[in-house]
């Protein structure tokens, strides 16, 4: 059964439409990651579900009940905030107990649940401390604990890792995933970080300017991006997107410089000359005897791999990811043999499949 | 030489308008003059010991505590309520805020005249309404009503100041903390009591001291214009008594001793406040 259903949810601030009709359905225990560039409306979507903002129209059905117009107190949803939002004047224990006290649980029950949750998160020794005496990672744990201890119907995460340093972020990411699986609570997770999106989500929702552009598993989004925006957004370094025209009865693309790329997986619709965009990920460009000549402008060594950024003869930028360390290259010829190609319509940006 | 020249005006001001008169008051507090002001005699601490043995002075102290306490509580509670409303997203918020700040710019004597026009036993609009309701209103003969009037008038002037600080305090509480409390299910009075007010505590404490100092030492103008300390001594706070004893009754020695006592009290309160603020900042 769907735990959370969102139907045609819209939100406008004055004349600005921030969300232009979102439809979603989350299965019980599922973790859905909402990803998009800043200003795409992802935080607004989360705040609507939380009840911190009121939708302009649409329904938010949680466990069979439309909660779209209810106060957050009546929704039974917990949220982890980007800046943790701990109560600065309360101890860690009181921070976690606060929501339980409001629900009128007995003192023993509160003590037991807080202790359990603290154990789960390794906060046992910190219960008496105030938030200002904690490190960033510890505060993040307390914020998680405060959400978990309530055993809510739905978890909301609003970029919870973006205030942590890189190393801590990786370990907390794994921990969030572990806890979420273990507790089996349905979750919405908002991030602009595509690595978080790829690793955490059962499914991804990519938002672009208030419109959902793709809802699929992370691998599907990566392998078959629905449009040019998703293609450029997911994957690092981002996919090369080259202007081209359909050619040879829809079985090949002609790039700007005249270079011909055949499609291995079949014919695309449309007549020859239709303007298209050909996408190829940097890691799928390999050096070869035949192919595109690229003048290298910049070499970015990442340790286990190297990213080359260069220009083709048509002056278009192209990035290439090569395994291992590479140095001292001024030009390179890469094969573009028609594998791992993504083809999009140049006008609508939508994916064109054979 | 330039730094000295730059601070010199301020130093001169401080000397001529504070240190010199204050020094004279301290000196005068150790002396006693004959009724005609011809002979001045050094009497040591006698003025002070007389003061604390004088039941009228002790009474005035009690009256000042009641007065200042009432003004502080009324001014802060009203300001807090207004600030809580102004902190919300309401239509015309900026106009509302601006209007609330106005009373602070009104001079004490003018504000007293406003209150007189409202509350005057014969011509006041408000007293007319009270009379129609069958309530006998004359603060010029009823001590309790007199106290009520000076408390209201003094508190009204201070509400604007408190309002600004409370509003700033409320707006410095991170929105996300309030939102976290909403997600935890806290609403209305409970959220105010357990989240907002505790986080507002530094502002509240600061205002507590400022208001107490204001109402004890800075309300002379208002009281003098409204009741002149009367009827009888019903609204004679320590500040009014200094004026009556010194300027009206020309008992300069005792009046100076009273001023010195007040000065010490202000210094003590200020030290408490700055200690507290420093400690807060250190955290």
């Amino acid at each position: 059964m769907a735990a959370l259903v969102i139907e045609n949810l819209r939100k406008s601030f004055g004349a600005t439409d921030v969300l232009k009709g979102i439809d979603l359905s989350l299965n019980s225990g599922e973790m859905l990651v909402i990803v998009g560039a800043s200003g795409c409306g992802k935080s607004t979507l989360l705040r609507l579900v939380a009840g911190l903002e009121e939708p302009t129209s649409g329904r938010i059905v949680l466990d069979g009940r439309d909660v779209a117009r209810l106060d957050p107190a009546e929704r039974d949803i917990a949220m982890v905030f980007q800046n943790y939002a701990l109560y600065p004047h309360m101890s860690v224990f009181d921070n976690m107990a606060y929501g339980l006290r409001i629900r009128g649980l007995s003192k023993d029950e509160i003590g037991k649940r807080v202790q359990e949750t603290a154990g789960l998160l390794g906060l046992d020794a910190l219960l008496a401390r105030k938030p200002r005496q904690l490190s960033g990672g510890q505060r993040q744990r307390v914020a998680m604990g405060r959400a978990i201890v309530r055993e809510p119907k739905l978890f909301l995460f609003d970029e919870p890792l973006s205030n942590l340093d890189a190393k801590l972020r990786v370990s907390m990411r794994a921990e969030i995933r572990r806890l979420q699986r273990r507790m089996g609570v349905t979750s919405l997770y908002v991030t602009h970080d595509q690595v978080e999106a790829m690793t955490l989500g059962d499914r991804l929702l990519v938002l672009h300017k208030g419109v959902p552009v793709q809802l699929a598993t992370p691998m599907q989004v990566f392998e078959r991006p629905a449009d040019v925006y998703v293609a450029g957004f997911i994957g690092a370094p981002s996919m090369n997107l080259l202007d081209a025209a359909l050619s040879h009865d829809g079985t090949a693309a002609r790039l700007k410089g005249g270079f011909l790329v055949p499609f291995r997986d079949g014919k695309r619709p449309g007549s020859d000359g239709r303007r298209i965009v050909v996408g190829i990920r940097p890691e799928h460009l390999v050096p070869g005897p035949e192919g595109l000549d690229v003048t290298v402008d910049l070499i970015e060594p990442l340790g286990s791999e190297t990213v080359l950024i260069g220009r083709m003869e048509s002056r278009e930028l192209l990035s290439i990811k090569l395994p291992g360390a590479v140095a001292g290259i001024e030009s390179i010829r890469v094969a573009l043999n028609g594998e791992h190609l993504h083809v999009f319509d140049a006008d609508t940006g939508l994916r064109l499949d054979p | 030489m330039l730094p000295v020249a730059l601070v010199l005006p301020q130093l001169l001001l401080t000397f001529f308008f504070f240190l010199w008169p204050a020094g004279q008051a301290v000196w005068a507090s150790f002396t006693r003059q004959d009724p005609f002001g011809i002979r001045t005699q050094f009497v040591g601490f006698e003025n002070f010991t007389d003061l604390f043995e004088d039941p009228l002075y002790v009474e005035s102290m009690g009256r000042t505590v009641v007065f200042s306490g009432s003004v502080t509580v009324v001014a802060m509670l009203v300001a807090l309520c207004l600030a809580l409303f102004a902190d919300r997203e309401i239509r015309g918020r900026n106009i509302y805020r601006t209007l609330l700040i106005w009373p602070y710019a009104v001079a004490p004597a003018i504000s007293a005249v406003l209150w007189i026009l409202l509350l005057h036993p014969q011509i006041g609009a408000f007293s007319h309404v009270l009379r129609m309701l069958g309530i006998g209103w004359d603060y010029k003969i009823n001590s309790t009503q007199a106290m009520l009037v000076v408390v209201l008038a003094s508190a009204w002037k201070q509400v604007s100041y408190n309002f600004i600080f409370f509003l700033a305090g409320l707006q410095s509480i991170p929105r996300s903390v309030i939102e976290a409390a909403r997600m935890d299910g806290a609403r209305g009075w409970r959220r105010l009591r357990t989240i907002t007010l505790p986080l507002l505590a530094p502002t509240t404490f600061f205002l507590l001291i400022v208001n107490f100092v204001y109402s004890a030492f800075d309300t002379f103008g208002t009281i003098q214009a409204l009741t002149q300390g009367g009827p009888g001594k019903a609204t004679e706070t320590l500040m009014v008594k200094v004026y009556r004893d010194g300027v009206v009754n020309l008992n300069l020695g005792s009046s100076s001793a009273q001023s010195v006592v007040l000065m010490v009290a202000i210094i003590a309160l200020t030290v408490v406040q700055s200690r507290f603020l420093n400690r807060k900042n250190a955290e």
Side-chain angles (χ1 to χ4, degrees):
Chain A
M1 195 196 103
L4 174 71
V5 179
I6 294 174
E7 288 171 8
N8 196 20
L9 192 67
R10 289 168 190 275
K11 175 70 181 175
S12 312
F13 292 105
T16 319
D17 296 328
V18 179
L19 289 178
K20 299 164 190 163
I22 306 282
D23 290 284
L24 257 187
S25 172
L26 256 77
N27 298 321
S28 189
E30 186 183 16
M31 177 104 148
L32 179 90
V33 174
I34 303 165
V35 66
S38 48
C40 71
K42 56 189 192 300
S43 288
T44 306
L45 175 55
L46 202 71
R47 291 170 63 81
L48 288 176
V49 176
L52 297 173
E53 307 273 358
E54 204 170 309
T56 307
S57 67
R59 278 159 42 93
I60 301 168
V61 182
L62 182 62
D63 261 1
R65 194 166 62 117
D66 185 3
V67 297
R69 315 279 156 191
L70 295 182
D71 190 87
E74 296 163 40
R75 298 193 184 196
D76 199 12
I77 295 175
M79 181 156 167
V80 180
F81 290 81
Q82 178 175 356
N83 58 0
Y84 322 129
L86 300 178
Y87 310 128
H89 57 298
M90 295 185 194
S91 66
V92 170
F93 183 95
D94 289 333
N95 261 281
M96 288 166 65
Y98 188 68
L100 302 179
R101 290 200 179 116
I102 287 173
R103 273 161 192 76
L105 267 65
S106 74
K107 220 173 170 167
D108 293 345
E109 177 71 13
I110 292 174
K112 204 177 112 228
R113 272 165 76 165
V114 172
Q115 286 293 345
E116 262 177 31
T117 311
L120 200 65
L121 289 160
L123 291 169
D124 306 82
L126 307 174
L127 285 175
R129 295 222 192 142
K130 290 274 176 69
R132 65 167 175 277
Q133 298 165 307
L134 302 176
S135 69
Q138 288 167 336
R139 286 179 202 185
Q140 180 61 60
R141 270 163 213 275
V142 177
M144 292 275 297
R146 187 172 63 180
I148 290 173
V149 77
R150 273 179 41 202
E151 298 174 11
K153 286 199 192 109
L154 180 69
F155 267 154
L156 303 176
F157 296 90
D158 186 10
E159 312 212 12
L161 302 181
S162 49
N163 281 12
L164 297 177
D165 63 60
K167 195 180 164 200
L168 210 50
R169 200 177 304 163
V170 174
S171 64
M172 279 307 289
R173 197 170 69 205
E175 191 154 358
I176 287 179
R177 190 63 179 138
R178 181 178 63 84
L179 282 168
Q180 195 270 337
R181 283 263 161 82
R182 179 165 161 183
M183 320 256 320
V185 182
T186 319
S187 306
L188 274 181
Y189 189 110
V190 159
T191 182
H192 63 271
D193 181 320
Q194 47 152 321
V195 181
E196 272 173 40
M198 292 292 291
T199 50
L200 278 173
D202 292 314
R203 283 191 297 163
L204 286 191
L205 171 70
V206 186
L207 272 186
H208 180 45
K209 293 183 179 165
V211 177
V213 278
Q214 191 164 17
L215 174 63
T217 66
M219 278 325 281
Q220 281 169 345
V221 173
F222 186 78
E223 285 172 351
R224 292 175 44 81
D227 69 3
V228 176
Y229 176 77
V230 180
F233 190 76
I234 299 288
S238 32
M239 186 189 283
N240 296 297
L241 296 166
L242 309 172
D243 290 331
L246 213 52
S247 180
H248 287 73
D249 239 5
T251 58
R254 187 176 295 281
L255 299 186
K256 261 188 182 168
F259 191 86
L260 201 66
V261 190
F263 302 140
R264 288 280 173 92
D265 49 358
K267 176 179 173 333
R268 282 349 188 243
S271 53
D272 282 4
R274 176 182 187 178
R275 296 200 306 117
I276 57 171
V277 173
V278 171
I280 182 150
R281 295 201 181 276
E283 56 269 35
H284 293 142
L285 289 167
V286 286
E290 297 282 319
L292 280 170
D293 286 316
V294 178
T295 319
V296 177
D297 287 341
L298 185 66
I299 302 180
E300 290 184 332
L302 300 175
S304 60
E305 56 214 8
T306 307
V307 177
L308 307 181
I309 297 167
R311 284 175 194 281
M312 303 185 300
E313 281 159 11
S314 63
R315 308 303 297 158
E316 280 180 294
L317 280 175
L318 197 72
S319 42
I320 305 156
K321 190 147 98 178
L322 300 174
V326 179
I329 297 186
E330 281 178 7
S331 68
I332 187 170
R333 176 172 290 175
V334 287
L336 203 63
N337 53 16
E339 281 187 86
H340 304 296
L341 278 190
H342 306 267
V343 182
F344 306 97
D345 182 88
D347 298 321
T348 62
L350 293 178
R351 181 180 189 85
L352 295 174
D353 276 324
Chain B
M1 265 331 269
L2 182 67
V4 176
L6 287 175
V7 293
L8 197 62
Q10 187 58 46
L11 285 178
L12 288 177
L13 279 178
T14 311
F15 179 78
F16 282 111
F17 290 98
F18 177 68
L19 290 179
W20 192 8
Q24 278 199 324
V26 172
W27 169 247
S29 71
F30 294 116
T31 65
R32 186 169 291 168
Q33 283 187 328
D34 67 43
F36 303 102
I38 296 162
R39 274 185 315 118
T40 303
Q41 186 190 351
F42 184 83
V43 293
F45 281 95
E46 212 172 297
N47 282 330
F48 291 93
T49 49
D50 284 356
L51 213 50
F52 288 101
E53 282 162 11
D54 181 2
L56 289 178
Y57 189 72
V58 176
E59 254 174 50
S60 178
M61 263 174 134
R63 204 177 293 123
T64 306
V65 169
V66 170
F67 170 78
S68 302
S70 312
V71 171
T72 304
V73 168
V74 172
M76 286 180 67
L77 273 183
V78 172
L80 179 61
C81 289
L82 293 174
L84 284 171
F85 284 116
D87 192 36
R88 297 195 186 164
E89 302 289 328
I90 53 170
R91 203 179 289 267
R93 185 167 63 172
N94 287 332
I95 298 171
Y96 176 69
R97 286 182 186 171
T98 311
L99 287 180
L100 277 171
I101 292 165
W102 271 1
Y104 195 60
V106 179
I110 307 291
S111 100
V113 169
L114 286 178
W115 284 93
I116 288 172
L117 287 176
L118 279 175
L119 298 174
H120 192 278
Q122 279 87 46
I123 59 163
F126 185 67
S127 32
H128 183 68
V129 174
L130 282 181
R131 249 199 323 280
M132 287 205 308
L133 294 172
I135 300 167
W137 175 261
D138 191 346
Y139 70 86
K140 292 199 182 263
I141 43 177
N142 183 322
S143 323
T144 318
Q145 291 180 355
M147 188 53 122
L148 202 65
V149 167
V150 291
V151 165
L152 278 181
S154 308
W156 176 74
K157 262 200 76 56
Q158 194 61 8
V159 164
S160 308
Y161 183 89
N162 296 349
F163 169 77
I164 297 169
F165 276 86
F166 271 133
L167 189 60
L170 284 173
Q171 294 190 329
S172 72
I173 297 175
R175 270 243 120 37
S176 60
V177 171
I178 302 292
E179 285 174 351
R182 288 181 67 191
M183 295 306 296
D184 263 345
R187 296 206 252 188
W189 167 240
R190 177 169 204 138
R191 191 166 76 222
L192 185 69
R193 186 172 55 82
T194 55
I195 305 286
T196 313
L197 291 184
L199 293 179
L200 209 54
T203 310
T204 311
F205 182 78
F206 166 78
L207 285 179
L208 208 61
I209 303 273
V210 168
N211 277 266
F212 201 80
V213 170
Y214 158 80
S215 50
F217 307 112
D218 213 8
T219 49
F220 169 74
T222 309
I223 297 176
Q224 178 66 18
L226 276 168
T227 65
Q228 297 84 44
K233 294 187 184 303
T235 52
E236 190 187 74
T237 61
L238 289 174
M239 214 61 200
V240 177
K241 191 169 162 58
V242 169
Y243 175 79
R244 275 193 173 181
D245 287 354
V247 179
V248 181
N249 301 330
L250 288 174
N251 187 349
L252 292 185
S254 175
S255 177
S256 302
Q258 292 176 33
S259 307
V260 172
V261 169
L262 290 180
M263 194 160 71
V264 170
I266 291 192
I267 291 172
L269 277 172
T270 313
V271 167
V272 169
Q273 185 184 6
S274 65
R275 281 266 171 87
F276 176 82
L277 287 182
N278 285 342
R279 210 188 67 206
K280 269 283 161 198
N281 290 343
E283 277 178 4

